[in-house]
Amino acid sequence: MQAIDFNDGWSYRHLDADESFTAVRLPHDAMIGEPRHEDAPGGVNTGWFDGRDYEYVKTYAPGPELAGRLLLLEFEGVYHNAEVWVDGAQLVFRPYGYTNFRVDVTDVLAAGEPHEIRVVARNADQPNSRWYSGAGIYRPVTLWAGDAGHILPDGIMVRTVSATPLPADGPADAVKADAVIEASVETTASGAVAIDIIDASGAVVANAQAVTRDIQTTGRGGEADVVPQGALAAALDAGANAVAVACIEVPDAALWDCDHPNLYRCVVRFAGDDGSRDESETTFGVRTLAWGDDGLLLNGRRVIIQGACIHHDNGVLGACAYADAVERKVRLLRACGYNAVRSAHNPCSRALLDVCDRLGVLVMDEYIDHWYIHKTQHDYVDYFNDWWRRDLNDMVRKDRSHPSVVLYSTGNEVSETAQPKGIALTQAMTDHLHGLDPTRPVTCGVNIFFNFLSSIGMGVYSDDKAAKEAAEAEKRRAAGESQKKHKAVGSEFFNNMAGLLGADFMKTGATLPFCDWKTRDAFAAMDMAGYNYGIKRYRHDLRAYPHRLILGSETFCSDAYRFRELAKREPRLVGDFVWAGIDYLGEAGVGSWEYEDYAPRFSGFGWLTAGSGRLDLTGRPLGEALYTRVALEADNGPYLAVCPVNHTGDRHSPSAWKMSNAIDSWSWNGCEGRKANVEVYARAAAVALVLNGREIGRKAMRHDCIARFSCAYEPGVLEAVSYDESGREIGRRRLVSADEQTVLTAEIESANGELTSGAVHPGRLCFVRLRYTDANGITKPLERGRITVGVEGGRLLGLGCAAPFNLDSFVSNETGTYYGEALAVVEALHDASHGDVIVLTAADATGRTATLTVPVG
């Protein structure tokens, strides 16, 4: 089918207000522009944003070229309880805010006539999420057009049947194999298909032909034995009437893995018996995947998953799924040593999967945050039982041909897994996913200790309690009284406990025998047991369950080195996903170490982000990211970072998710003589810290890759030096203090987060770092100000800083800075009449200014 971009020409407004419409281009996050206030029912979960309902409208007149064609509208993500109407008639309702869905509009969109397309997105039913969800049509929309007989969107699935490696006779990136792939094609009519396999150079390297078979009579056995019965049922549900399956030999195939993300295109031409014609394609990688006592095997070789959990928002852009923002996030995480991401806790965007395919990043594809027990009053529980099979069908159909997807996850911290009903559901969901796609293992993230606590009634949600709390809140609002803190339940309740009691609270609690009793049956219903914060159980459980595969589905940054060293020796410890890779909106303050100058109160209104990323909200790598890079052996170091010298010894906000608040700076102007706490990260026998040519100290590296030093701050050059066992220097890195002069700088980032002077194409995004620096470009973290930004030749999509406590809006043209920095995101306009450059100007109240000119082309 023909894919038509359907993101222009929309307008939106609040559903409950008599107001005019505002023009928008999709994707659009309606929530990010809402006010934040103390009475917001979402509270700490959503960062205190207001929750509202919205309607989007678009007037569309199909051109004559679409006359008589079948038309499908695909919405990749609408949050939530979406309704789609055309000319006053409702066509579909889809409750889950993270799954893609399609609407057949063939009979209601007559060619040449204008039609009103209306989409309702609900988000006033607060609280409905434990994190910032965003709202509205926050992912792209596509209009599909084709003949009545056509290939279904997402109707091509390619999997690798076998790949026999060829002898290596070339460079390391030439990983080759004689491969056999299977392509299945789902169509709406019987006919014939012709398949071309095309490599990166555009050459056809293999082809095949096949005839479709009636999907309702295709059974187990014969030619269709390779198609799982569950997948056939899902295809029928999606509108397919026939399926063709072909096995294709691909000689000398370039394999896909993390270091060699080689991709092919599968181009399919369909000729229907009724005369209909269609052409479609999908991108895939030739790679095998297996799992067992030898661990997770990619192309027959063990791969250790070294991953990061990520939420779906894109920082100052809110929930908008801009492809450039998603790619930037993945590239930044890849640079920190992560080879995988977990889509916590919902199906991810197409953009994320596409970039992970291209960059060689593995994906744990997760469905949901809960099953039948509420975590917030208005979450998806009321729809879950009726919709989970359909949701999983759509998730798998969208994602199954992506080589980056190596794991499916049915949920996160679902305390249902401690109950007989939930254990049965665990097995049912695993079986359903196997029926849809048997080529990938299934897991579920279980917080081992909290599963036990919830089984005895701690932190469990109650409808009566939630209703009573909501009524009390409404009464206080009507009386103009301040709100009481709401009673946390589920993951939020346990997160609060961990913040107060520390990281070891969860990890040590998980070692209790009761925890094993409450998880072992659910773990037996998975291919891989997902342990949230269970590292202290790993050794015991590997012995106690000799065939159990263990995945650290959620872990602390401080355990990265310990995990890596154990995983190298224990193949059944398949991987680790740190919480979290990059900071995110909502779950406000859960992972932040913040001082009073940036956070006048350590809880309550004003907190915006979780503060628990190894990269901050703007994508800046923190000291923890440098530690991770070394711990996961992406680099031997040394690196060094310094805890804020102006706050040495000061009290900060509590968190279990922060290992350190050090940053890579030695510019602490005005702190001369004050104690500085310095961290050095290295894979070495020993490291030394040198200040202005004097060795401050030297430490042997044992059982970790971090060494901590203290010294009196003095400006100059701070160096970390690493040594091998013989005392030979093997690495050196330095931080240099900034001069006294302060200037405001504006520089565009490259895709890897480095600064560049490159051009940006129309319709693409550029990320502009705003920093207080000296004349040499060294950031001055103690400089603080408010910056106003103006843009010509482009559109300012988002502006803000990384402060976890933040009262600013990201949709204004003014922001405060955080440790000397802020970020602006600018879109190059599609209209060439705006010129061939973007000009961004920035100024603060002191008269400091910066101008950045970015070529467009």
Side-chain angles (χ1 to χ4, degrees):
M1 298 186 79
Q2 176 189 3
I4 301 170
D5 185 303
F6 212 67
N7 295 307
D8 283 317
W10 292 87
S11 298
Y12 92 109
R13 69 179 180 182
H14 293 99
L15 186 63
D16 59 352
D18 183 13
E19 61 187 25
S20 58
F21 283 91
T22 300
V24 294
R25 172 174 166 79
L26 305 182
H28 176 253
D29 179 4
M31 194 178 192
I32 197 69
E34 294 291 359
R36 298 166 61 224
H37 56 86
E38 187 176 10
D39 294 339
V44 68
N45 288 325
T46 60
W48 309 93
F49 281 94
D50 232 353
R52 301 285 297 276
D53 294 339
Y54 309 93
E55 60 177 334
Y56 290 77
V57 296
K58 173 172 177 164
T59 300
Y60 178 67
E65 72 281 1
L66 297 181
R69 307 199 77 189
L70 183 131
L71 302 176
L72 300 176
L73 264 181
E74 180 181 18
F75 294 85
E76 195 182 330
V78 180
Y79 198 88
H80 67 156
N81 290 349
E83 305 166 17
V84 179
W85 301 65
V86 176
D87 295 336
Q90 183 176 343
L91 302 185
V92 75
F93 168 72
R94 191 64 185 258
Y96 196 34
Y98 297 103
T99 47
N100 62 308
F101 62 94
R102 298 186 184 93
V103 187
D104 188 336
V105 291
T106 306
D107 296 333
V108 294
L109 291 185
E113 299 179 16
H115 301 274
E116 182 192 67
I117 300 171
R118 179 172 176 262
V119 178
V120 174
R122 309 278 181 180
N123 197 34
D125 53 349
Q126 295 288 329
N128 61 50
S129 175
R130 290 194 306 108
W131 56 86
Y132 175 84
S133 61
I137 311 177
Y138 68 97
R139 288 179 180 170
V141 179
T142 301
L143 176 65
W144 294 92
D147 291 347
H150 62 271
I151 303 166
L152 265 67
D154 295 325
I156 303 172
M157 179 180 71
V158 182
R159 72 177 182 95
T160 303
V161 176
S162 63
T164 305
L166 297 173
D169 59 356
D173 62 348
V175 181
K176 299 285 187 176
D178 283 335
V180 177
I181 64 171
E182 170 201 298
S184 65
V185 182
E186 298 161 1
T187 62
T188 58
S190 60
V193 298
I195 302 170
D196 286 339
I197 305 302
I198 301 174
D199 69 12
S201 72
V204 176
V205 296
N207 52 52
Q209 295 185 347
V211 177
T212 61
R213 299 177 60 193
D214 187 335
I215 198 169
Q216 299 195 59
T217 59
T218 301
R220 304 295 291 180
E223 295 178 21
D225 187 49
V226 292
V227 182
Q229 198 68 30
L232 292 176
L236 186 63
D237 181 63
N241 294 316
V243 61
V245 180
C247 281
I248 307 169
E249 294 183 359
V250 184
D252 204 27
L255 296 180
W256 186 98
D257 62 26
C258 294
D259 297 319
H260 317 95
N262 300 302
L263 294 174
Y264 290 85
R265 290 187 298 133
C266 176
V267 178
V268 180
R269 294 179 300 280
F270 170 67
D273 294 341
D274 59 359
S276 57
R277 295 291 184 269
D278 194 15
E279 181 173 319
S280 187
E281 68 176 68
T282 193
T283 301
F284 70 97
V286 177
R287 63 112 174 101
T288 61
L289 189 70
W291 58 96
D293 290 350
D294 294 327
L296 185 69
L297 305 179
L298 189 62
N299 300 326
R301 297 181 178 180
R302 186 188 175 213
V303 59
I304 300 175
I305 292 175
Q306 300 178 162
C309 300
I310 55 173
H311 272 315
H312 71 294
D313 74 79
N314 286 306
V316 301
L317 296 173
C320 289
Y322 292 107
D324 287 343
V326 173
E327 176 162 347
R328 173 181 180 262
K329 178 160 59 179
V330 175
R331 286 186 178 276
L332 290 170
L333 291 169
R334 191 80 163 100
C336 292
Y338 298 111
N339 67 3
V341 293
R342 174 191 180 198
S343 63
H345 306 289
N346 43 258
C348 52
S349 66
R350 293 183 186 274
L352 181 73
L353 295 176
D354 289 343
V355 70
C356 288
D357 287 348
R358 287 189 283 108
L359 297 182
V361 174
L362 309 176
V363 176
M364 175 174 165
D365 203 357
E366 188 156 274
Y367 169 41
I368 204 164
D369 186 45
H370 52 71
W371 293 345
Y372 55 80
I373 297 176
H374 283 284
K375 290 185 178 179
T376 58
Q377 186 178 9
H378 300 290
D379 55 25
Y380 193 59
V381 165
D382 293 339
Y383 299 99
F384 174 82
N385 286 333
D386 294 332
W387 284 89
W388 69 262
R389 291 175 181 83
R390 177 67 182 274
D391 290 338
L392 289 179
N393 291 354
D394 290 339
M395 181 182 86
V396 172
R397 287 179 59 80
K398 176 173 68 72
D399 302 351
R400 59 190 175 173
S401 288
H402 289 274
S404 57
V405 176
V406 296
L407 274 164
Y408 292 125
S409 169
T410 56
N412 168 69
E413 295 192 344
V414 280
S415 58
E416 293 92 329
T417 53
Q419 303 175 352
K421 176 183 175 182
I423 293 167
L425 181 57
T426 305
Q427 187 67 64
M429 296 178 77
T430 297
D431 291 344
H432 188 74
L433 284 168
H434 285 166
L436 296 170
D437 179 3
T439 70
R440 290 157 170 112
V442 177
T443 188
C444 180
V446 175
N447 192 313
I448 300 170
F449 184 37
F450 295 162
N451 237 37
F452 162 66
L453 294 180
S454 66
S455 73
I456 60 175
M458 289 189 66
V460 176
Y461 175 93
S462 161
D463 283 322
D464 290 340
K465 290 179 183 177
K468 187 179 294 184
E469 185 176 335
E472 181 182 337
E474 182 57 37
K475 183 177 179 180
R476 297 182 71 87
R477 271 193 293 272
E481 300 174 4
S482 61
Q483 295 294 316
K484 292 182 179 179
K485 185 178 180 181
H486 80 104
K487 297 179 178 65
V489 296
S491 298
E492 184 190 352
F493 172 82
F494 296 121
N495 288 347
N496 292 344
M497 290 181 66
L500 294 172
L501 299 175
D504 275 346
F505 166 66
M506 279 193 284
K507 295 188 292 184
T508 302
T511 65
L512 297 172
F514 319 106
C515 297
D516 181 32
W517 304 343
K518 286 297 182 181
T519 56
R520 60 190 176 193
D521 291 338
F523 282 154
M526 310 172 194
D527 299 311
M528 294 180 181
Y531 284 37
N532 282 18
Y533 310 109
I535 191 170
K536 290 188 176 183
R537 287 205 70 92
Y538 290 175
R539 291 181 184 274
H540 173 274
D541 288 3
L542 287 168
R543 292 192 300 268
Y545 301 95
H547 299 293
R548 177 182 287 182
L549 302 183
I550 294 177
L551 174 73
S553 41
E554 203 164 301
T555 64
F556 293 114
C557 175
S558 56
D559 291 326
Y561 178 91
R562 182 181 177 186
F563 153 75
R564 172 72 180 173
E565 294 306 300
L566 182 58
K568 288 191 293 187
R569 301 190 300 272
E570 296 282 0
R572 287 188 293 121
L573 180 53
V574 296
D576 175 277
F577 287 93
V578 71
W579 193 269
I582 188 168
D583 198 14
Y584 55 94
L585 302 175
E587 278 195 315
V590 68
S592 178
W593 284 5
E594 202 55 270
Y595 300 102
E596 290 182 351
D597 55 346
Y598 277 109
R601 48 189 174 273
F602 285 170
S603 64
F605 173 66
W607 287 88
L608 176 59
T609 83
S612 59
R614 315 291 63 89
L615 292 87
D616 72 19
L617 193 76
T618 67
R620 179 187 178 185
L622 305 174
E624 292 174 321
L626 302 176
Y627 165 80
T628 301
R629 184 176 176 86
V630 174
L632 300 182
E633 296 188 273
D635 193 335
N636 288 329
Y639 292 96
L640 68 167
V642 183
C643 300
V645 181
N646 60 319
H647 286 297
T648 301
D650 292 349
R651 186 174 70 97
H652 56 68
S653 55
S655 169
W657 280 267
K658 203 77 172 169
M659 180 188 87
S660 166
N661 61 355
I663 61 175
D664 57 341
S665 177
W666 192 240
S667 298
W668 304 97
N669 305 54
C671 294
E672 287 77 2
R674 188 160 185 169
K675 179 182 176 181
N677 293 323
V678 181
E679 299 175 357
V680 177
Y681 320 118
R683 288 270 183 173
V687 295
L689 186 68
V690 179
L691 176 58
N692 292 330
R694 309 185 314 275
E695 184 170 307
I696 298 298
R698 185 177 297 228
K699 293 190 177 182
M701 305 296 284
R702 295 189 180 94
H703 311 304
D704 209 338
C705 59
I706 181 172
R708 294 179 172 88
F709 299 87
S710 293
C711 63
Y713 174 74
E714 63 180 59
V717 178
L718 184 70
E719 293 180 289
V721 187
S722 57
Y723 301 92
D724 64 14
E725 293 286 353
S726 66
R728 180 176 61 91
E729 181 179 324
I730 56 175
R732 181 182 292 258
R733 198 171 303 269
R734 60 167 49 186
L735 296 175
V736 179
S737 299
D739 296 337
E740 289 299 320
Q741 180 188 7
T742 301
V743 297
L744 180 61
T745 63
E747 298 156 299
I748 187 173
E749 278 187 1
S750 71
N752 290 315
E754 299 172 351
L755 300 177
T756 181
S757 58
V760 60
H761 297 295
R764 304 293 296 273
L765 309 187
C766 58
F767 297 83
V768 180
R769 283 268 167 202
L770 303 170
R771 298 184 297 139
Y772 286 117
T773 73
D774 68 2
N776 298 312
I778 299 174
T779 302
K780 306 180 76 171
L782 296 187
E783 291 292 337
R784 189 171 177 180
R786 296 198 60 79
I787 300 175
T788 301
V789 171
V791 175
E792 296 179 5
R795 182 162 65 111
L796 183 64
L797 296 180
L799 174 68
C801 70
F805 185 101
N806 191 344
L807 296 174
D808 284 339
S809 167
F810 294 150
V811 298
S812 74
N813 68 338
E814 183 180 333
T815 181
T817 58
Y818 184 68
Y819 285 96
E821 298 196 21
L823 181 74
V825 184
V826 179
E827 180 184 31
L829 297 177
H830 294 74
D831 187 351
S833 66
H834 289 280
D836 55 3
V837 296
I838 296 171
V839 179
L840 180 145
T841 57
D844 69 6
T846 69
R848 298 187 183 103
T849 62
T851 300
L852 176 67
T853 300
V854 182
V856 177

